[in-house]
Amino acid sequence: MTIKRPLSLMLCLMQAFASTALAQTQFFFEGQQLVSSPRCLYVNPSVPTDTAAYTFASAREALTFAQGKNHVSIYLEPAVYWLDDPDDPAVRMPAEGERVPFGMQLRLSNCDIIGLSSNPEDVVLACNRGQTQGAVGNFTMLHITGDSITLRNITLGNYCNVDLVYPLDTKQNRPRRRDAIVQAQLAICNGTHYRAYNSRFISRLNLCPLAGANDVEFHDCYFECTDDALCGTADYHHCSFTFFSSKPFYSTSRRGAHFYDCDIHSKTRGTQYLTKRTSLVTMRRCRWTSDDPDLRIEWTKRPSPDYACVMEGCTLNGQPLSVPTPTEPLPLTLLPFEIQKSPVSSADTPSKGWMMDCYVPSDIPQEHMYHPNPDAASWGFAQGVNGGEGVWGLVQLQRGARMMLPSDRIHSVELLLYPCKDAGQGFGSATAQYMDVCIKFDVNTLTGYGVRFRRTPDYDHAVEMLLVEYQNGTITAISKAERCDLYKPGCRVKVTTAASTDASAKQDNSTSAQSSDIISASIEHQGRIQTITAAMPHPNSFGGFHLQHTGSAGESATLIASIEMK
């Protein structure tokens, strides 16, 4: 029987046989004695770094040293290797001109990264940052540019939302940074011919195991993830998976993702989809198990015959599983109808009708600043996606979409909403993304009262709900923020005013005695209601309407199915 070994391993063996008197390090891999050399780097945290002996105390040093070299193997003794300092309180920011902060950016080709243990749990490359949790942007542990990269006997883990448990040395255990699940990524690659053997990939949202590379294969690997997670250009052979939510792929490449003889456990309730957007997946001889005995498996919510997904020889909880190849054409879906924007600035005198534009409110911090396109529409009439699928209404076409209606008569408004993010989180990320619904509003001075729903790093299946005051464009909270689990598709939001029955609550001002001084907001979903009420610090006689959405558009938008005003 012929055993194939990587070229870089063969080069290490040759260097070992030709070893000179230099103080190089000897070690063993799969019964073979190796010697550290320019093409054979040895990593051991218990020894000091000696670049002359090609021996390193950290994986970060070895990876940096390997850049620009060809046919290099990096061998790592069992340990937890932090590629980004988990104790550094500094928030990681994207480099200038980039949107994603990285732990390391490397240029490597023909490089093997190998753990010196047959158990991949013993050799861990780690970080613990994610969007809004130690980073601004979707923090990614590695960015690799180059071809022919191999991982073997390695764990890549982003422990932002997952506890690090290290059985070899429990002192290395570390609790997750936060409970709320955010985008916390592993490796984005730019190159071709990437391979992983007997390795583990651990995170939750946006796992990104070697994402972006072409010609990717995983053999005997393990993955833990939620949504938008897996590499869409890969073949998975004899791998195992734990899916903690319903859409492990956002989409796959045109060539598709292919599973062969894999074991998949789903913790989803109801329906487990493979992709968020219709795209190609094949599964052959795969075994599904689930926490939900009534789980359904589907390719995607809207399968298209343009993608010939195939499932053969698969089972679910021991029973034959067959998900048919899509054959029916998709129902016609029109592109969003753009509603003409109405440019508004502080110098404009508003018209009497609806005004729709994009705007950056005063409370958007610099690190989450966005820049609306003044030449593009802010709102459109379209069918929603995901949580808004099958429903038509107004959707935001870019971040900062705003609508206002000048009036002196509106004292109550009720909206029927379909957030496209359907798990209760409402918005794309906790980066100053919120929606304000206001009445008692003056569109000239941006003064009035309303309710805010905002995404926060504290929750991944809920938003915060609070009441706010606009005073000449300055926004102030006038109630405590409460956790809200009801911001889901089909929820109804109502904002009303009332006169206080407590004379001491009234304030001495020029507003007439008939004016209201209490603002109340409620949200209802499937019979559950949450209400929040507060006194207006500065009661007014205005009667306009204002809605401000600072969340991302597209699949993070909130579809507005109806607006009823009184």
Side-chain angles (χ1 to χ4, degrees):
M1 174 175 153
T2 301
I3 299 176
K4 293 184 178 179
R5 297 188 181 275
L7 174 60
S8 50
L9 174 58
M10 302 304 295
L11 291 170
C12 284
L13 289 168
M14 292 169 63
Q15 297 250 250
F17 292 131
S19 177
T20 65
L22 289 175
Q24 294 169 309
T25 306
Q26 296 184 357
F27 59 96
F28 287 86
F29 174 63
E30 295 182 344
Q32 298 279 354
Q33 179 176 298
L34 304 179
V35 177
S36 61
S37 69
R39 289 178 171 169
C40 185
L41 311 184
Y42 176 68
V43 185
N44 186 337
S46 65
V47 300
T49 294
D50 182 352
T51 56
Y54 310 104
T55 300
F56 302 87
S58 73
R60 189 177 181 92
E61 291 175 294
L63 288 166
T64 301
F65 186 86
Q67 291 193 101
K69 299 174 176 61
N70 204 14
H71 295 298
V72 173
S73 289
I74 303 173
Y75 292 89
L76 300 102
E77 291 286 359
V80 176
Y81 298 94
W82 290 95
L83 299 189
D84 175 90
D85 184 357
D87 296 315
D88 184 354
V91 174
R92 301 296 186 258
M93 304 290 291
E96 186 175 353
E98 297 185 355
R99 298 178 60 185
V100 174
F102 295 102
M104 293 190 75
Q105 291 181 272
L106 300 167
R107 291 188 173 273
L108 299 171
S109 285
N110 299 296
C111 181
D112 298 337
I113 303 171
I114 301 170
L116 290 171
S117 170
S118 59
N119 183 353
E121 294 183 66
D122 294 347
V123 182
V124 181
L125 302 184
C127 67
N128 74 340
R129 298 177 187 271
Q131 172 70 276
T132 72
Q133 297 180 14
V136 173
N138 299 351
F139 183 84
T140 306
M141 182 165 64
L142 285 168
H143 183 276
I144 302 174
T145 299
D147 302 327
S148 300
I149 305 296
T150 299
L151 306 181
R152 193 182 301 269
N153 306 340
I154 294 284
T155 291
L156 266 61
N158 190 325
Y159 297 96
C160 185
N161 306 131
V162 185
D163 293 339
L164 170 58
V165 178
Y166 189 66
L168 283 186
D169 180 5
T170 57
K171 293 179 181 178
Q172 299 294 323
N173 290 355
R174 190 179 187 95
R176 56 191 176 272
R177 185 180 285 264
R178 298 285 288 273
D179 290 334
I181 295 173
V182 299
Q183 298 91 338
Q185 303 177 165
L186 294 181
I188 295 176
C189 306
N190 180 18
T192 189
H193 197 82
Y194 280 64
R195 300 289 185 265
Y197 301 91
N198 189 38
S199 293
R200 301 166 72 246
F201 301 87
I202 308 298
S203 186
R204 289 295 182 261
L205 185 59
N206 291 37
L207 179 70
C208 293
L210 311 182
N214 295 312
D215 184 19
V216 182
E217 292 182 11
F218 297 96
H219 297 262
D220 302 294
C221 293
Y222 173 70
F223 304 80
E224 281 187 13
C225 63
T226 60
D227 282 358
D228 303 342
L230 295 179
C231 176
T233 59
D235 291 346
Y236 300 84
H237 299 264
H238 318 293
C239 293
S240 56
F241 304 80
T242 302
F243 293 158
F244 287 86
S245 63
S246 63
K247 303 177 188 74
F249 290 101
Y250 177 80
S251 64
T252 67
S253 67
R254 194 70 192 177
R255 71 173 291 278
H258 307 282
F259 295 76
Y260 304 98
D261 193 26
C262 292
D263 292 280
I264 305 168
H265 183 73
S266 170
K267 291 186 171 292
T268 297
R269 298 280 174 178
T271 303
Q272 172 75 61
Y273 299 99
L274 270 299
T275 65
K276 186 173 287 186
R277 287 290 184 93
T278 181
S279 46
L280 180 61
V281 178
T282 66
M283 286 197 161
R284 290 180 168 87
R285 305 178 306 283
C286 293
R287 296 160 295 279
W288 286 80
T289 56
S290 67
D291 287 359
D292 181 359
D294 299 318
L295 184 75
R296 288 169 50 88
I297 309 291
E298 301 288 351
W299 298 116
T300 189
K301 278 192 173 182
R302 290 167 54 83
S304 168
D306 293 341
Y307 300 93
C309 298
V310 174
M311 183 173 288
E312 294 178 347
C314 297
T315 60
L316 172 59
N317 295 326
Q319 300 299 314
L321 173 65
S322 178
V323 179
T325 299
T327 57
E328 296 297 321
L330 289 176
L332 177 64
T333 299
L334 300 178
L335 294 174
F337 171 76
E338 295 184 356
I339 297 173
Q340 183 62 40
K341 61 187 177 69
S342 301
V344 176
S345 70
S346 58
D348 291 333
T349 301
S351 65
K352 295 296 183 182
W354 284 95
M355 297 178 291
M356 296 185 173
D357 69 341
C358 277
Y359 183 73
V360 180
S362 61
D363 60 352
I364 301 297
Q366 187 60 42
E367 63 266 27
H368 300 315
M369 185 59 61
Y370 59 90
H371 303 281
N373 180 354
D375 297 321
S378 54
W379 293 89
F381 185 76
Q383 182 180 181
V385 297
N386 299 325
E389 186 162 353
V391 182
W392 288 80
L394 291 173
V395 293
Q396 304 84 37
L397 299 184
Q398 57 173 313
R399 191 171 180 191
R402 176 177 70 167
M403 65 171 69
M404 298 188 292
L405 179 64
S407 175
D408 57 6
R409 296 181 298 170
I410 300 169
H411 60 84
S412 175
V413 64
E414 182 172 340
L415 292 81
L416 174 58
L417 303 177
Y418 287 83
C420 296
K421 292 283 188 182
D422 56 7
Q425 74 273 49
F427 306 88
S429 60
T431 52
Q433 297 198 28
Y434 60 76
M435 185 169 77
D436 289 346
V437 180
C438 301
I439 55 176
K440 300 288 290 180
F441 206 85
D442 175 35
V443 302
N444 289 294
T445 62
L446 301 184
T447 297
Y449 294 90
V451 64
R452 171 171 293 186
F453 298 95
R454 70 183 177 198
R455 186 160 181 181
T456 165
D458 295 330
Y459 314 121
D460 55 3
H461 285 74
V463 294
E464 284 187 337
M465 176 183 181
L466 67 155
L467 296 172
V468 295
E469 176 189 41
Y470 278 68
Q471 191 75 8
N472 297 316
T474 299
I475 308 169
T476 306
I478 59 172
S479 74
K480 286 187 176 180
E482 299 180 1
R483 174 178 175 138
C484 176
D485 299 293
L486 307 180
Y487 195 79
K488 295 180 178 179
C491 67
R492 291 185 177 272
V493 171
K494 188 173 183 178
V495 186
T496 61
T497 62
S500 172
T501 58
D502 182 0
S504 65
K506 294 185 178 292
Q507 302 186 27
D508 185 16
N509 54 60
S510 59
T511 308
S512 66
Q514 289 74 34
S515 294
S516 55
D517 57 9
I518 296 293
I519 181 79
S520 178
S522 65
I523 181 170
E524 181 272 331
H525 182 259
Q526 296 182 350
R528 298 172 59 198
I529 300 177
Q530 184 172 349
T531 301
I532 189 167
T533 301
M536 299 181 190
H538 307 93
N540 65 59
S541 57
F542 303 135
F545 168 77
H546 169 269
L547 186 149
Q548 174 73 64
H549 189 281
T550 67
S552 305
E555 297 197 359
S556 299
T558 292
L559 182 142
I560 303 173
S562 67
I563 304 176
E564 181 180 350
M565 298 177 179
K566 296 180 181 179

